[in-house]
Amino acid sequence: MVVAATGFFDGVHTGHRRVLKLLSQIAAEQGKRSAVITFWPHPRSVLRQDASQLRLLSTLDEKRDLILSAGVDEVIVIPFTKEFSQLSTEEFLKEYLAKRYNVSTLIIGYDHRLGHDADMTPQKLMEISAEAGIETRLVDAFQLGESVISSTKIRRLIAEGRIVEANEFLGYRYQLTGVVVAGERLGRKLGFPTANMQLYNPLKAIPAFGVYAVTAEVEGRVYAGVCNIGIRPTVSNKESVSIETHILSFNEDIYGLDLKVSFLQKLRDERRFPSTDALVEQMKMDKIAALEIVSAAQNI
């Protein structure tokens, strides 16, 4: 028998981890395995016409790793299709959870939905679960201060460049991961060589244009860094968006290697400078500010 929680769990934020903590506790008390039953791709990418605008906090691998690191025994991924979306709450509970996955106890969040039933209430869900032989445990909304935590809210914070708040809600530093590719070497000409990143998953939410204090991980080594996201208006006439990181105290050829950038704080907006000399002076100040922020964060 299995104690389970279901949902998309994008970002596996602090609210999600409250659910996962209860899941693990109940499973341990009952001597059963704990499992998260999640979906991929995101339902919006399958069901809505604006799917191209969807950006996610975590890739499938990131989500799986975060859930397992929270102490859950197993992550089960159900392919989300239009056909699957037509299942009623009763069908999902009985055919999937009870029969297929042997779920005996289900942990659900305060706003969680199962199936396409529009009028489903927590009370009705508990009644249908009982008919399927599944006990349900409801988790209340989790707040930080006066704010209820949600993946939607965190995506908005990231899109606005409000990284400190987003990280507080996530419970960890927001990350982008990709491969280092050849760029135009504009930073190197200015004395600030950068690693130009191509994301492994183009659906990852990208922070607002600007300059950020970050850490950069290369081959297991972590360095302080300054990341610029934007179109580099002072040195380039192109409109393509780049994610470039100047890694402090680092001067190695890393083209083709994995790069993980973790965001700590936004330093400033991206803007056009009157000259490259003015840009270089600002970059020197960005470097000092980023080093102070990263050093302070590592000492906490």
Side-chain angles (χ1 to χ4, degrees), residues 235-267:
V235 296
S236 177
N237 294 320
K238 296 182 180 180
E239 294 297 318
S240 57
V241 177
S242 66
I243 304 171
E244 295 182 301
T245 303
H246 173 58
I247 306 174
L248 279 57
S249 303
F250 185 85
N251 188 26
E252 297 180 21
D253 182 357
I254 55 173
Y255 291 123
L257 297 184
D258 292 341
L259 178 65
K260 180 187 293 183
V261 176
S262 301
F263 292 80
L264 278 72
Q265 184 176 322
K266 186 177 182 181
L267 300 177

Side-chain angles (χ1 to χ4, degrees), residues 41-253:
H42 193 283
R44 177 174 161 185
S45 68
V46 175
L47 302 176
R48 292 175 56 172
Q49 293 183 343
D50 63 350
S52 62
Q53 300 175 25
L54 175 67
R55 294 296 179 268
L56 299 176
L57 301 173
S58 53
T59 65
L60 179 57
D61 286 341
E62 289 170 342
K63 177 167 67 171
R64 182 185 286 111
D65 290 344
L66 285 165
I67 291 171
L68 293 175
S69 69
V72 177
D73 294 319
E74 183 181 8
V75 178
I76 298 168
V77 181
I78 298 176
F80 193 92
T81 62
K82 287 186 177 180
E83 181 182 19
F84 178 79
S85 73
Q86 296 303 308
L87 289 175
S88 67
T89 303
E90 183 174 3
E91 289 170 329
F92 181 66
L93 284 166
K94 293 182 177 179
E95 299 302 321
Y96 275 78
L97 299 189
K99 291 184 179 180
R100 186 174 301 189
Y101 299 120
N102 208 25
V103 173
S104 60
T105 303
L106 180 65
I107 314 300
I108 56 174
Y110 75 102
D111 62 346
H112 189 56
R113 288 182 58 188
L114 295 174
H116 74 278
D117 309 61
D119 61 344
M120 185 57 56
T121 64
Q123 184 59 41
K124 290 178 65 175
L125 176 58
M126 293 174 71
E127 292 173 359
I128 297 174
S129 297
E131 293 174 3
I134 299 174
E135 177 191 5
T136 52
R137 301 282 188 93
L138 183 66
V139 181
D140 294 333
F142 184 59
Q143 295 185 203
L144 280 179
E146 298 180 356
S147 299
V148 175
I149 299 172
S150 71
S151 299
T152 300
K153 185 171 295 183
I154 297 171
R155 292 188 202 109
R156 184 170 65 249
L157 291 172
I158 290 172
E160 295 172 356
R162 296 162 63 183
I163 294 298
V164 173
E165 294 167 82
N167 287 349
E168 184 178 13
F169 283 7
L170 285 169
Y172 59 88
R173 295 168 187 165
Y174 185 68
Q175 300 175 342
L176 294 178
T177 304
V179 62
V180 179
V181 297
E184 298 178 63
R185 297 180 178 267
L186 299 175
R188 185 173 296 278
K189 295 176 183 177
L190 299 175
F192 290 85
T194 59
N196 189 31
M197 183 196 306
Q198 180 177 309
L199 295 180
Y200 284 130
N201 191 322
L203 290 183
K204 278 279 285 189
I206 299 175
F209 284 9
V211 179
Y212 296 84
V214 302
T215 59
E217 181 177 338
V218 182
E219 295 189 313
R221 296 168 293 167
V222 180
Y223 303 86
V226 181
C227 181
N228 184 89
I229 298 177
I231 58 174
R232 303 165 298 172
T234 306
V235 296
S236 177
N237 294 320
K238 296 182 180 180
E239 294 297 318
S240 57
V241 177
S242 66
I243 304 171
E244 295 182 301
T245 303
H246 173 58
I247 306 174
L248 279 57
S249 303
F250 185 85
N251 188 26
E252 297 180 21
D253 182 357

